[in-house]
Amino acid sequence: MTRFIFITGGVVSSLGKGLASAALGSLLQTRGFKVRLRKLDPYLNIDPGTMSPTQHGEVFVTDDGAETDLDLGHYERFTGVSARRTDNITTGRIYSDILAKERRGDYLGATVQVIPHVTDEIKAFIRSDIGDADFLLCEIGGTVGDIESLPFLEAIRQFGNEVGSANALFIHVTLVPYLPAAGELKTKPTQHSVKELLSVGIQPSMLLCRSDMPIPPDQRRKIALFCNILPERVIAALDVPSIYQVPISYSEQGFDEQVLSYFGIEAPPPDLKRWRGIVDRVQHPEGEVTIAIVGKYTSLLDSYKSLAEALTHGGIANNVRVKLQWLDSEIFERPDYPYGVIHHLESAHAILVPGGFGNRGTEGMIRAAQFARERSVPYLGICFGMQMAVIEAARHMAGLKGAGSSEFGECEHPIVGLMTEWVRGNELEQRTNSGDLGGTMRLGAYPCLLGEDTRARSIYGAAEISERHRHRYEVNINYRSALEDAGLRFSGLSPDGQLPEIVEIPHHPWFVGVQFHPELKSKPFEPHPLFASYIEAAMHHSRLV
Ligand code: GLN
């Protein structure tokens, strides 16, 4: 039987609901339970795929090719459970499904309304594809009180009634701020937020109170009294220096214990050994390497959430701290290049060019790749970063001066071009230049074959791998021999040999470009081999080893 845990947020946004949900999922796992985590997002986009990364943060791609909220990345990294298409839904998706049904005449003449049609659709989504999970954790995006959250709150209220309070728990995450002028922590915003939730018929049974200092027992009792919650279920969620401390810290405050006690379930205590091991490695590194990340969405670091995590995991694998230096690629396009800015690259132990879209800043990325290649600095190019490295190699190694990407318009040598069709399993997928932007890229997991005697093969220790994709353009296979003759090896290809997946330069300490997003599959307990190897190369470059 599956129990349902709904997690809402109040007072302010960015309270770390996603991390709290991921941490609770992991804690329940360590006590022997199977979990699934899900996110309901109230915005009107069908999915985050078309949203700017600098507004919404990274788009997390699942194996089954869904473009989802970045919180699903936290869920996967903390629990190891692969997220699926059925784990993230938005208002836009719900309405688009309802409107399609309405046009088909599925509602048989009924007036289509928020209650019951929208709420029914939300409840059906919550209930679908749960499998044998003991707990389904369902996070509601946004903040209580937002207009667009209302149908979701109404749906989970109804859901709670339908499955009964013995099977559904509502957890509300709030903020207890410290007011220096008053010299105390303030509980009023939490009281108001719970009132807001009560006004839509939801009485939370547990509060997770974020605070930057310990909440004294008196204050917790006060919150409990005013919010009609048992004092032991008012959990103090203190800020911690590393996200890997969250499960340990919340567990010490009784988070998982109180969840189980709410459901009347007894279970062995949580096994926090793994988390303690990770925290220990993060807190006591044996050295430090600096990675220069030359990208275009550096104004909002959430745009590269999984990437930053994966690099940290690479550090965990090698027992070093990984310092990230975020550089806007446009600085390398300044007329005074290299004099004004080259030191940014010279001080790094490795260079990384991440994913991206559009022309802006690309010449700067190409310069960063060239610097790494010529100066023998370890280089990892991810997706766009691979494409830019291949263009650089075409221009400066193979002498194809007019090399470019058709993403930026016509060019003499379209080294990177639009894929109009490709094979997925038994199906042919097709795209055109004028098609929709949303959901039409090459998305999700695809197999890749690794060539013999390649760095890629030795890093992965396998001949076939599967990695997640999110891109419209591909390195043009027609230039393979020109580029290989010039010294760029195509070390990973799609099984039909048509889509270049990995390139590398054999005569370079560590130069790898990958068309997929390895960062999406890295986990603290299982650092991705590419990142582990890349950080090791950075350590060599810094002479740490
Ligand atoms: N803009 C490139 C493409 O669509 C790369 C995308 C990416 O880096 N995710 O192919």
Side-chain angles (χ1 to χ4, degrees):
M1 194 182 62
T2 306
R3 265 98 172 183
F4 298 87
I5 301 174
F6 296 102
I7 298 132
T8 54
V11 183
V12 291
S13 59
S14 309
L15 277 179
K17 267 183 300 164
L19 268 176
S21 308
L24 179 58
S26 167
L27 289 169
L28 291 171
Q29 278 181 325
T30 74
R31 305 185 70 146
F33 299 102
K34 285 210 170 97
V35 297
R36 272 212 88 71
L37 286 101
R38 224 154 247 191
K39 173 109 191 257
L40 311 179
D41 274 313
Y43 52 74
L44 282 172
N45 304 61
I46 302 270
D47 60 40
T50 54
M51 287 193 225
S52 160
T54 48
Q55 255 199 37
H56 186 72
E58 159 188 283
V59 175
F60 189 79
V61 182
T62 57
D63 273 334
D64 59 2
E67 296 176 278
T68 70
D69 188 79
L70 60 79
D71 276 331
L72 273 78
H74 290 310
Y75 304 165
E76 261 202 48
R77 286 188 285 272
F78 273 54
T79 65
V81 178
S82 287
R84 297 200 281 257
R85 185 172 291 280
T86 45
D87 292 327
N88 189 203
I89 199 156
T90 67
T91 300
R93 161 70 58 205
I94 300 219
Y95 273 82
S96 114
D97 290 351
I98 289 177
L99 295 177
K101 282 193 199 166
E102 189 275 336
R103 288 292 83 184
R104 277 202 308 269
D106 290 2
Y107 293 106
L108 304 173
T111 308
V112 183
Q113 294 179 298
V114 173
I115 305 173
H117 299 100
V118 171
T119 47
D120 278 355
E121 201 76 23
I122 297 172
K123 286 188 290 179
F125 173 79
I126 296 171
R127 227 177 255 120
S128 67
D129 192 27
I130 296 179
D132 58 353
D134 301 306
F135 290 98
L136 178 83
L137 281 69
C138 206
E139 178 190 348
I140 319 297
T143 308
V144 167
D146 295 346
I147 289 178
E148 60 255 25
S149 308
L150 280 174
F152 288 99
L153 297 176
E154 169 60 15
I156 61 170
R157 181 195 68 75
Q158 292 175 17
F159 197 99
N161 265 344
E162 286 167 21
V163 298
S165 59
N167 297 310
L169 162 65
F170 293 96
I171 301 177
H172 192 50
V173 185
T174 73
L175 178 72
V176 178
Y178 177 76
L179 234 62
E184 57 178 10
L185 288 162
K186 288 297 183 190
T187 65
K188 196 67 81 187
T190 296
Q191 297 175 37
H192 281 294
S193 187
V194 170
K195 255 197 194 140
E196 191 79 41
L197 207 50
L198 274 172
S199 73
V200 294
I202 295 174
Q203 163 71 57
S205 295
M206 186 178 296
L207 290 180
L208 190 68
C209 300
R210 290 293 308 274
S211 167
D212 53 11
M213 56 178 68
I215 307 177
D218 267 1
Q219 299 287 81
R220 279 175 60 189
R221 270 195 294 277
K222 186 172 166 192
I223 295 173
L225 190 63
F226 279 96
C227 299
N228 195 21
I229 287 170
L230 293 177
E232 58 273 27
R233 298 209 175 124
V234 176
I235 310 287
L238 264 189
D239 291 355
V240 283
S242 149
I243 60 167
Y244 305 117
Q245 269 161 275
V246 169
I248 300 169
S249 158
Y250 289 12
S251 186
E252 281 168 359
Q253 298 298 319
F255 194 24
D256 46 316
E257 191 56 40
Q258 288 305 323
V259 167
L260 293 179
S261 109
Y262 173 87
F263 288 113
I265 300 175
E266 293 206 0
D271 178 2
L272 297 171
K273 248 194 314 316
R274 265 179 134 197
W275 283 115
R276 291 198 204 284
I278 298 283
V279 170
D280 189 51
R281 283 198 153 216
V282 170
Q283 281 176 341
H284 307 288
E286 282 164 12
E288 179 177 284
V289 290
T290 302
I291 310 293
I293 302 175
V294 183
K296 58 195 296 186
Y297 311 123
T298 44
S299 59
L300 179 72
L301 296 186
D302 266 0
S303 322
Y304 301 115
K305 192 86 215 162
S306 296
L307 177 64
E309 290 299 311
L311 286 163
T312 306
H313 305 160
I316 290 174
N318 290 289
N319 241 345
V320 286
R321 175 175 295 130
V322 178
K323 208 171 129 208
L324 306 180
Q325 195 186 352
W326 301 95
L327 300 172
D328 184 336
S329 60
E330 278 179 303
I331 63 170
F332 301 111
E333 294 176 358
R334 290 196 338 215
D336 61 346
Y337 178 85
Y339 307 106
V341 289
I342 200 94
H343 63 275
H344 290 302
L345 295 177
E346 278 170 339
S347 59
H349 304 128
I351 294 172
L352 192 150
V353 175
F357 295 84
N359 203 354
R360 184 178 61 81
T362 51
E363 288 303 319
M365 295 177 196
I366 289 172
R367 279 188 168 159
Q370 182 177 11
F371 178 92
R373 180 176 62 76
E374 291 176 346
R375 304 273 200 106
S376 296
V377 182
Y379 177 87
L380 176 58
I382 295 180
C383 206
F384 210 40
M386 170 210 196
Q387 297 174 357
M388 296 308 115
V390 178
I391 292 173
E392 193 280 315
R395 286 186 193 167
H396 306 121
M397 290 167 75
L400 301 168
K401 289 212 167 27
S405 165
S406 40
E407 182 171 357
F408 320 136
E410 273 184 33
C411 59
E412 190 188 340
H413 292 292
I415 297 293
V416 179
L418 182 72
M419 274 301 291
T420 49
E421 56 180 52
W422 63 85
V423 182
R424 176 171 216 160
N426 292 327
E427 277 173 42
L428 185 69
E429 299 220 5
Q430 292 179 308
R431 300 287 185 268
T432 61
N433 233 335
S434 54
D436 277 354
L437 281 186
T440 57
M441 285 184 259
R442 180 149 82 97
L443 286 168
Y446 281 83
C448 161
L449 305 184
L450 306 178
E452 272 174 45
D453 300 323
T454 57
R455 182 184 296 282
R457 183 115 156 211
S458 74
I459 290 173
Y460 277 94
E464 181 173 347
I465 56 164
S466 168
E467 292 279 7
R468 296 183 193 167
H469 289 250
R470 180 171 186 258
H471 53 101
R472 203 175 309 279
Y473 298 86
E474 307 277 350
V475 170
N476 190 338
I477 192 76
N478 298 326
Y479 286 94
R480 180 179 181 178
S481 52
L483 288 162
E484 291 211 309
D485 289 347
L488 183 77
R489 173 102 194 257
F490 284 44
S491 51
L493 291 167
S494 58
D496 65 2
Q498 292 308 297
L499 305 174
E501 298 276 18
I502 309 182
V503 295
E504 60 191 49
I505 298 179
H507 297 294
H508 185 286
W510 207 102
F511 193 104
V512 177
V514 293
Q515 186 57 76
F516 44 80
H517 289 274
E519 72 274 23
L520 300 178
K521 288 187 37 172
S522 188
K523 301 183 179 69
F525 307 118
E526 244 179 277
H528 191 290
L530 266 175
F531 286 95
S533 172
Y534 174 64
I535 295 299
E536 195 188 342
M539 288 162 68
H540 279 287
H541 192 73
S542 75
R543 309 242 191 295
L544 260 181
V545 280

